[in-house]
Amino acid sequence: MARDGGKVHVVRVSKTGYVDKQGRRKDYSSAYLRRTYREAGKVKNETVANLSALPGHVIDLIDAGLKGQQLVPAASAVTITGSLPHGHAAAVHAMAAKLGLPALLGPAGRQRDLALALIISRVVAPASKLSTLTWWADTTLGADLGVADASTDDIYAAMDWLGHQQDTIEAGLARRHLGRQANPSRMALFDLSSSWLEGTHCPLAARGYSRDGKKGTLQIEYGLLTDPEGCPVAVRVFPGNTGDPGAFTAIVEVVRKKFGLQEMVMVGDRGMITSARIRALNQREDGTARPDPYGWITALRAPAIRKLMADDGPLQLSLFDQQDLAEITSPDFPGERLVACRNPVLAADRARKREDLLAATEKLLAPLIARVQAGKLTGAGPIGVEVGKVISTYKTSKHFEVTITDTTLAIERRQDRIEAEAALDGFYVLRTPIPAGELDAPAVVAAYKNLKYVERDFRHIKSDDLDLRPVFHRLEERVRAHVLICMLACYLTWHLRRAWATLTFTDENPPAPGNPVAPARRSAAAQAKASYQYDQAGQPYRSFRGLIEHLATLTRNQVRYTGTHVTIAMLAEPTSAQRQAFELIGAPIPLTLT
């Protein structure tokens, strides 16, 4: 008979090793709801219900409730009061810390934190400075670096501070990447690019040759100095009408005087290291020779190559019957080695492209010829105006002979000029004073072709990763600081792309070409990546930008448990790709950036 009063509780009874009548060994587990009461001074128990048939988790809930625990639905147990993207900023910040970038920027303080945030933001989410300012509040970068409350004046002040640190920063990078221990070849690459500006009041803005194809716009020029593998070291901004030779002279002065590097080998393209620059390269202002001569590697222009071919000159087609590379000499270049190369793949491509452009020009001119023949267009002047509008569209006018009268128009190809240009297809000649004992001919070719790494950096800076263009700043020092931020962001990107090669479509181990003149080839592993899209574990390969975006899905959440008023920070569960991304840069996934 049940008794009133007494506490009810759950009792679990387990029997192990029980043997039934058939001799089978069994284990039993039972659960009972029992009430404890006292009768005549003795403690007794009463079974209220047999819970054995209920699921285990239901029994656990009953037990917890009877013990006084407050039970709530699972969905109401915690509240996520906030969530911010974290993984992308944390990864880039971890790489910056690994490279010692914060210390390289300058002494710790508010200005350095803002400058570092601008550089990391340029890698993670490139945008204008004002857009970046509002974006900081939407990511853990702003909160952890203490810049979420920054104003536009704070950003501009940080840019000005960073600009004053440029020489110190770049000198540190030069010691790290161009010094004799890290760069025994003492080689540096330099190239020039341009970007257009919005607005008309920047002192650096000028009209010049636009490498972006933005005709009629004001622009700036900027030269990038890298190590032989294309790792950015320094950048210099010039007015938009600066020529390649002038930029080369400026960067040599920087390397020589500000970085204090001696006996360097500068590699630049044919329009940059001209004969005049070569003569001035190792001379003081008073005309005397420098005690620390610089070497160089560059290429000849087409007229000089044509002169080497003319009149049984040293450059003849017979040299390339069984090879793609030959070293020659010429009295026109005393004390220099000339390394002549012929790339048959490039020759075929240029011949095809020339024929396509000539045919396209003839197609544009055909309607004009028909109008003249039909008498719908007459007069030498009007006919010439119409021809002039179209014949230079594809820059092939030099290959056509145009005869105009008041009633006729005749267009013929200048076959002699076409053949003269075709004779140079696939040819290029490199020049250098470096002795063969220090740098053989294949190594000279390889060094010059390494300029492709600077071109790759420009692609990353301008479009692929960092979105430098267009430039919206008006003050000269702000434009220079903007380009410096992009260069330092490219420095981070260069190392991140290497570290994350196994997760992306990057070729981890590109094959070394047996013939330096032959086009570069991707490895079989890289081709397999592009073909299959997934690794052996079923994880997709991503682009660099795609991996950054995937890391952004690793959020840091502010969690509040029911019945409390305190929130705690908690990371979302990382994916395998996110874990691997941090492992590849040698850093744990941090809860906070600092």
Side-chain angles (χ1 to χ4, degrees):
M1 182 177 186
R3 299 289 190 271
D4 293 333
K7 294 183 178 181
V8 178
H9 59 280
V10 174
V11 175
R12 290 179 170 86
V13 179
S14 298
K15 293 183 179 180
T16 60
Y18 174 75
V19 181
D20 63 11
K21 294 180 180 180
Q22 285 75 34
R24 292 173 298 187
R25 185 183 180 89
K26 293 185 177 181
D27 295 332
Y28 288 95
S29 179
S30 302
Y32 302 95
L33 187 63
R34 287 180 176 172
R35 177 182 291 117
T36 300
Y37 65 95
R38 187 178 296 274
E39 184 177 80
K42 295 182 178 181
V43 176
K44 296 187 176 182
N45 293 301
E46 179 182 38
T47 298
V48 177
N50 187 343
L51 306 179
S52 303
L54 296 177
H57 71 278
V58 175
I59 298 173
D60 292 339
L61 289 173
I62 294 172
D63 189 17
L66 292 175
K67 290 178 178 178
Q69 297 181 18
Q70 184 178 2
L71 304 179
V72 296
S76 303
V78 297
T79 301
I80 297 178
T81 61
S83 181
L84 292 175
H86 175 68
H88 53 354
V92 179
H93 183 272
M95 178 56 81
K98 180 179 179 181
L99 296 172
L101 185 60
L104 194 65
L105 295 182
R110 172 75 168 172
Q111 303 285 24
R112 191 181 80 174
D113 290 341
L114 285 165
L116 180 61
L118 287 171
I119 294 167
I120 294 174
S121 301
R122 182 58 56 172
V123 178
V124 173
S128 69
K129 302 301 182 297
L130 299 182
S131 296
T132 298
L133 180 64
T134 58
W135 176 79
W136 280 345
D138 297 329
T139 180
T140 57
L141 179 67
D144 291 356
L145 292 187
V147 298
D149 61 345
S151 66
T152 54
D153 289 342
D154 291 333
I155 285 184
Y156 291 139
M159 291 178 67
D160 295 341
W161 175 87
L162 185 65
H164 291 134
Q165 299 291 114
Q166 180 169 1
D167 287 345
T168 303
I169 295 169
E170 292 177 342
L173 291 175
R175 287 191 298 271
R176 183 181 297 181
H177 296 286
L178 298 182
R180 186 175 295 277
Q181 184 174 358
N183 181 22
S185 66
R186 308 291 286 171
M187 195 172 292
L189 314 179
F190 183 72
D191 205 353
L192 195 67
S193 191
S194 63
S195 288
W196 74 95
L197 290 88
E198 298 292 340
T200 59
H201 293 83
C202 178
L204 293 170
R207 300 188 186 277
Y209 172 66
S210 174
R211 293 164 175 82
D212 296 327
K214 298 287 287 188
K215 296 181 179 180
T217 60
L218 296 175
Q219 64 178 29
I220 57 168
E221 302 276 346
Y222 46 94
L224 185 64
L225 181 75
T226 77
D227 73 1
E229 294 182 302
C231 181
V233 171
V235 69
R236 284 296 180 272
V237 181
F238 307 99
N241 56 1
T242 303
D244 288 11
F248 176 72
T249 298
I251 200 66
V252 168
E253 289 299 301
V254 170
V255 174
R256 205 173 231 143
K257 295 182 178 179
K258 294 189 176 181
F259 299 165
L261 297 174
Q262 310 299 323
E263 298 180 354
M264 292 294 294
V265 177
M266 305 297 294
V267 184
D269 66 24
R270 67 196 70 199
M272 181 170 294
I273 308 181
T274 62
S275 295
R277 300 300 166 178
I278 290 172
R279 287 192 295 271
L281 180 63
N282 292 316
Q283 289 183 350
R284 293 192 178 98
E285 294 181 359
D286 60 3
T288 59
R290 290 183 178 272
D292 55 341
Y294 273 24
W296 41 266
I297 299 173
T298 189
L300 295 180
R301 292 176 176 270
I305 298 176
R306 192 173 293 113
K307 185 177 179 181
L308 291 174
M309 285 183 165
D311 301 327
D312 295 325
L315 182 59
Q316 297 298 314
L317 290 176
S318 59
L319 292 172
F320 304 95
D321 289 342
Q322 297 181 349
Q323 59 185 358
D324 296 332
L325 180 152
E327 190 163 340
I328 61 177
T329 58
S330 170
D332 294 335
F333 302 95
E336 297 181 21
R337 298 165 58 207
L338 301 180
V339 181
C341 308
R342 185 177 188 275
N343 185 335
V345 176
L346 179 61
D349 182 67
R350 287 186 174 175
R352 177 196 54 77
K353 183 177 180 180
R354 182 188 304 104
E355 180 58 33
D356 288 347
L357 294 177
L358 291 172
T361 303
E362 289 171 336
K363 186 176 180 180
L364 290 178
L365 291 170
L368 289 180
I369 295 173
R371 288 171 60 193
V372 173
Q373 291 175 344
K376 296 179 180 180
L377 179 62
T378 59
I383 294 174
V385 170
E386 293 299 317
V387 170
K389 290 179 181 179
V390 299
I391 197 170
S392 296
T393 301
Y394 299 113
K395 300 180 180 179
T396 57
S397 58
K398 62 183 178 181
H399 293 318
F400 287 99
E401 184 73 40
V402 181
T403 304
I404 300 174
T405 69
D406 288 339
T407 57
T408 62
L409 171 61
I411 307 290
E412 291 186 48
R413 292 190 182 188
R414 304 186 67 172
Q415 202 61 36
D416 56 338
R417 290 195 177 186
I418 295 173
E419 291 175 357
E421 183 178 276
L424 299 180
D425 285 349
F427 277 102
Y428 56 95
V429 179
L430 308 182
R431 57 186 299 200
T432 181
I434 308 299
E438 297 181 20
L439 204 67
D440 61 17
V444 171
V445 177
Y448 183 78
K449 292 181 72 172
N450 282 347
L451 285 171
K452 65 186 177 184
Y453 296 138
V454 190
E455 293 294 336
R456 178 195 59 194
D457 289 340
F458 280 136
R459 288 195 301 273
H460 294 167
I461 289 174
K462 295 166 72 169
S463 57
D464 291 354
D465 297 330
L466 308 176
D467 202 19
L468 176 146
R469 59 188 184 184
V471 180
F472 294 95
H473 296 286
R474 176 176 59 85
L475 299 180
E476 180 176 341
E477 59 270 23
R478 301 275 167 77
V479 172
R480 296 185 188 279
H482 170 70
V483 176
L484 176 61
I485 287 170
C486 290
M487 187 277 284
L488 294 172
C490 184
Y491 182 75
L492 278 178
T493 300
W494 189 89
H495 287 88
L496 285 169
R497 281 181 172 272
R498 284 198 157 196
W500 289 341
T502 57
L503 297 177
T504 64
F505 292 104
T506 300
D507 195 347
E508 300 170 51
N509 298 295
N515 178 3
V517 180
R521 302 292 183 187
R522 287 172 64 83
S523 68
Q527 292 175 355
K529 282 184 181 182
S531 176
Y532 297 116
Q533 304 288 311
Y534 291 85
D535 63 16
Q536 294 181 351
Q539 180 175 282
Y541 293 111
R542 293 177 169 88
S543 65
F544 177 79
R545 181 55 52 191
L547 183 57
I548 290 286
E549 292 171 354
H550 178 65
L551 284 166
T553 65
L554 175 58
T555 58
R556 188 173 74 200
N557 310 302
Q558 295 299 321
V559 179
R560 185 178 67 226
Y561 288 91
T562 300
T564 69
H565 299 286
V566 178
T567 61
I568 63 172
M570 183 180 297
L571 293 181
E573 184 68 21
T575 67
S576 59
Q578 291 166 345
R579 289 186 186 278
Q580 191 175 356
F582 279 89
E583 290 171 359
L584 289 171
I585 59 178
I589 301 177
L591 182 62
T592 60
L593 272 61
T594 56

